[in-house]
Amino acid sequence: MRILLLGGTSFVGRAIAADALRSGAEVTLFHRGRTNPGLFPEARHLLGDRDTGDYSALRGGGWDAVVDVSGYRPRQVGPAMAALGDRVGRYLFVSSHAVYRQDGPADPSDESVPLREPLREAEELTDETYGRLKVACEQDVTARYGDRATIVRPGKVAGPYDEQRGLTYWVRRAARGGRIALPGRPEQPVQLVDSRDLARLVVRLLQDDRPGAFHAVGPAEPTTLGGLIATCAEAAGTEVEIVPVPPESAPPFFPLVRAEPLWPGQRRDPARARAAGLPATPLAVTAADVLAWDRGRGEPPLDHGFTADQEALLLAGRRSPTVD
């Protein structure tokens, strides 16, 4: 199978490229050549720039499938489809759970629940614009390719090479052990998907030529934020004590912490994706692998979460309740 990745050298795209190569696919990566330029020498590399509309490298050739992992705005996705035309078989767009309305069903919800209003352009990617831009991208892909379109909607993705806010913070913090400040509620539901599980789903969907939309969420067993922190501690071999602190004491967008009105977004139903081949790596395995990767890169400073000094100040004089 000939697979073209729009992206493929950073985190999610990297995992998809690695899985596709392991499966025996002939992989082409279209990217700017700035992030990990020496990665995957066995793949074909085409250089271009989606922000400037430079798709000249895609003028020739054809592929059985394209995976769009770097399309965030319709003005990026539309020109890519125009450049590729009918020289690709299936177009798989990696979207997001941010496409869903925040007042959606509270129970585990499938891929049919209402989406947000589409947005065709915005200067910045924010909580308000990101999901709506992705909705517009989904609509454009489906309109152009019809039953040759596949939409994958991941929840929060975690795994090695994750530079974003998420599991990396909590794994590193739990590995230090002791009292942990949590600017949220331990019982908050959490959904994470291992980047390698997401990649396996994407490649399986292409191999099976499956259309439609799919939730990519995990772990297999429902967990909470308190349970996730405890799992991170188990993976690191440490003892921790969770101490809730006021949410207003934390910087915005604290890793994995969600206000209660957003909790339904942590209860997406993965049944359709599981039936299509989404694996279920245990959270403890993902946490251990992230810890090993983070230590291997020297644990550089994170630009999110509490610093050690901030946390010590918040914890001074506070007791922590017992958390199951």
Side-chain angles (χ1 to χ4, degrees), residues 71-74 93-105 109-119 126-140 142 151-156 213-217 265 268:
Y72 300 98
R73 296 175 168 89
F93 181 71
V94 178
S95 187
S96 167
H97 279 197
V99 298
Y100 292 112
R101 284 170 40 181
Q102 294 182 350
D103 60 351
S109 53
D110 64 18
E111 293 84 353
S112 67
V113 298
L115 304 181
R116 302 172 72 181
E117 289 297 317
L119 179 66
T126 66
D127 279 351
E128 173 58 29
T129 65
Y130 176 74
R132 295 178 61 200
L133 289 166
K134 283 284 194 178
V135 172
C137 292
E138 287 190 12
Q139 291 178 346
D140 290 353
T142 302
I151 308 296
V152 174
R153 297 173 183 151
K156 186 64 179 175
F214 298 84
H215 284 162
V217 296
R268 304 296 180 194

Side-chain angles (χ1 to χ4, degrees), residues 66 77-92 138-150 211:
V66 58
V77 175
M81 294 190 295
L84 293 167
D86 288 325
R87 290 182 293 111
V88 297
R90 178 157 302 283
Y91 197 110
L92 187 149
E138 287 190 12
Q139 291 178 346
D140 290 353
V141 170
T142 302
R144 173 64 180 81
Y145 287 101
D147 62 4
R148 290 158 54 202
T150 302

Side-chain angles (χ1 to χ4, degrees), residues 7-23:
T9 61
S10 178
F11 192 35
V12 172
R14 178 177 186 155
I16 295 171
D19 193 281
L21 287 166
R22 278 193 299 270
S23 75

